[in-house]
Amino acid sequence: MRVNRRSVYLSCICAVILVVTLTWTVWTHMANSPSSAAGSKRDHSLDYFLKKGTIQERDAADVNWYHAANSKDKINEALEGPAQMIEADVLLRGHDPKEPIMAHPPYTDSDITLQDWLSVVVTSDKGIKLDFKSLAAVEPSMALLEEARAQLEGPVWINADILSGPGGLATPLDAQAFLQEVALRAEGDVLSLGWTTGWSPDTDNPGYSWEMVQQMEAICRPLRQPVTFPVRAALLPQSFPQLQWLLQQSDRYTLTVWTGQRDVLNVEDLLPYRQNFNKSRIYYDLLESQISKFKALPRYN
Ligand SMILES: *[C@@H]1O[C@H](CO)[C@@H](O)[C@H](O)[C@H]1NC(C)=O
C-alpha cells in the first residue's frame, strides 16, 4: 500500500516535469519562429569562429580582418596570419582572357585569378569576403565559387555597393542585377550590401539619411540571407537613429564598420554603437591602431 502510494506520487512528479518540459520547448520554439518562419537565416559567422575557438565570445568586434588580399603574396600572408576573415576585391581582367581576378580599381590586372585564389583559400579554415567592383565579374565569379563551395569551410560574404550613399560619387552596381546573380546562388552566404560614400576633411560630412536606409531595407526585406551593411566609420556619429532603425528591422541584419585610409576617425564616436547594440551585431573592419585604441577605451566593455 505504502509502496503503491509512493509510486503514484513519483508518477505525478514525472508527469509534471514532462508537461513543463514540453511547454517550455514549444514556447521557446514559437518565440524563435518569426525569424525562421520565412526560411530566412541569421548570420552564423560568429558561431563558426566560436566553434573553431578563434573567438571566445559572441562579440563581432573580436573578429579580425585582413584587407585587400589581392596578390599571391598577400593571400599567403593572410592565410598564415591571425585574421579570421580575409577580404579581397574582384573584377574582370581588362584584357583577354577576361576572367575574374583579384584587384582593386584603378588596377585592371593581377598576379592571381579568383580561381587560383579560391584554390588556396580552400586549404584554410578562414572566412572570406569577396568585394565586387564590377557587375561583369559577378556571374563568372559565382560560377567559380560554386565549384569551390563544397571545400570552403569558413563563412562566405559577398559584398557590393548597390546604392548611392552620403557623399558617394562612384556609381553603385545595379542592385537588382547584382542580387539576381547572387541571391539564388549564395543561399548560405552573408550578403554585404553597401552604399557608395565620400568623406572630406574639415567639413560637415552628411550621414546616412532616412531615405538611404529605408531604400536599403526595402531591397533586403525579401532576401533570405543574413545581410551586413558596410558603413563608413567617420559617418557614424551623424547616422545613429537611421542605423538603429535599420538594425531593428530584422535579426538577419548586422553592421560592418569600415574606414577610409585617410578618414579622420575618433574611436570614441563608435561607443554609442558598441553600447546600444548587441555585440554580436557589429563587426569592425578598421585599422589595427584604431581597433586597439577602441578596445582600450574605458567604456568599451
Ligand atoms: C545578443 O544576441 C544573441 C543572439 O545572437 C543572444 O543570445 C544574446 O542574449 C543577446 N545579448 C543581449 C545582451 O541581448
Side-chain angles (χ1 to χ4, degrees):
M1 194 61 186
R2 263 173 83 190
V3 172
N4 272 350
R5 191 175 289 172
R6 180 182 289 172
S7 62
V8 167
Y9 178 68
L10 282 176
S11 304
C12 282
I13 292 195
C14 286
V16 167
I17 289 174
L18 188 69
V19 167
V20 168
T21 312
L22 278 176
T23 311
W24 184 80
T25 309
V26 169
W27 184 81
T28 49
H29 186 77
M30 279 170 59
N32 285 333
S33 61
S35 61
S36 50
S40 57
K41 301 193 191 109
R42 290 186 194 200
D43 175 9
H44 289 297
S45 305
L46 292 182
D47 300 312
Y48 173 80
F49 294 124
L50 272 172
K51 211 170 77 192
K52 285 277 152 194
T54 54
I55 60 172
Q56 313 311 321
E57 325 168 43
R58 292 187 58 82
D59 187 345
D62 290 343
V63 173
N64 298 309
W65 297 79
Y66 187 99
H67 234 274
N70 295 338
S71 67
K72 284 179 183 164
D73 282 351
K74 290 211 155 176
I75 184 59
N76 286 327
E77 184 181 81
L79 291 175
E80 284 161 17
Q84 291 94 341
M85 289 290 295
I86 303 174
E87 187 264 352
D89 303 289
V90 187
L91 41 82
L92 272 196
R93 187 188 280 120
H95 56 85
D96 286 334
K98 291 198 171 163
E99 54 188 330
I101 55 164
M102 312 315 288
H104 191 291
Y107 297 105
T108 57
D109 207 350
S110 169
D111 71 352
I112 186 162
T113 62
L114 173 62
Q115 186 162 29
D116 291 342
W117 193 90
L118 287 171
S119 71
V120 240
V121 167
V122 296
T123 63
S124 88
D125 60 5
K126 294 183 186 285
I128 57 172
K129 174 175 165 182
L130 295 176
D131 189 352
F132 286 98
K133 301 297 189 195
S134 92
L135 197 55
V138 177
E139 197 269 332
S141 300
M142 292 308 292
L144 291 171
L145 196 56
E146 221 153 83
E147 285 169 26
R149 192 164 293 280
Q151 303 161 64
L152 277 170
E153 202 190 333
V156 176
W157 290 23
I158 307 287
N159 178 86
D161 288 343
I162 58 164
L163 291 176
S164 289
L169 297 176
T171 310
L173 268 59
D174 181 87
Q176 292 314 325
F178 177 74
L179 288 172
Q180 212 153 15
E181 295 292 352
V182 302
L184 288 175
R185 302 170 92 161
E187 290 261 353
D189 300 348
V190 174
L191 301 182
S192 171
L193 303 174
W195 299 260
T196 60
T197 55
W199 186 88
S200 323
D202 309 320
T203 144
D204 282 334
N205 291 277
Y208 296 89
S209 68
W210 283 110
E211 198 189 347
M212 289 168 192
V213 293
Q214 283 163 355
Q215 202 181 357
M216 183 62 93
E217 211 280 320
I219 291 174
C220 296
R221 200 180 311 143
L223 300 174
R224 296 154 55 97
Q225 286 90 348
V227 180
T228 192
F229 304 106
V231 286
R232 192 166 185 155
L235 304 175
L236 288 194
Q238 52 271 52
S239 312
F240 187 85
Q242 290 85 355
L243 295 176
Q244 180 178 45
W245 174 86
L246 184 57
L247 278 191
Q248 282 166 349
Q249 300 313 303
S250 169
D251 56 14
R252 286 183 297 125
Y253 298 166
T254 58
L255 297 181
T256 303
V257 180
W258 62 275
T259 185
Q261 293 282 338
R262 279 180 283 275
D263 291 7
V264 178
L265 173 63
N266 182 359
V267 289
E268 295 218 9
D269 291 343
L270 302 178
L271 279 176
Y273 287 86
R274 178 82 185 157
Q275 288 163 345
N276 288 287
F277 297 117
N278 190 309
K279 293 180 171 44
S280 68
R281 298 187 68 185
I282 309 192
Y283 294 87
Y284 297 88
D285 178 5
L286 301 174
L287 308 179
E288 235 168 77
S289 57
Q290 294 167 330
I291 287 278
S292 41
K293 224 170 164 184
F294 184 42
K295 291 192 168 179
L297 292 176
R299 284 175 299 143
Y300 172 78
N301 270 315

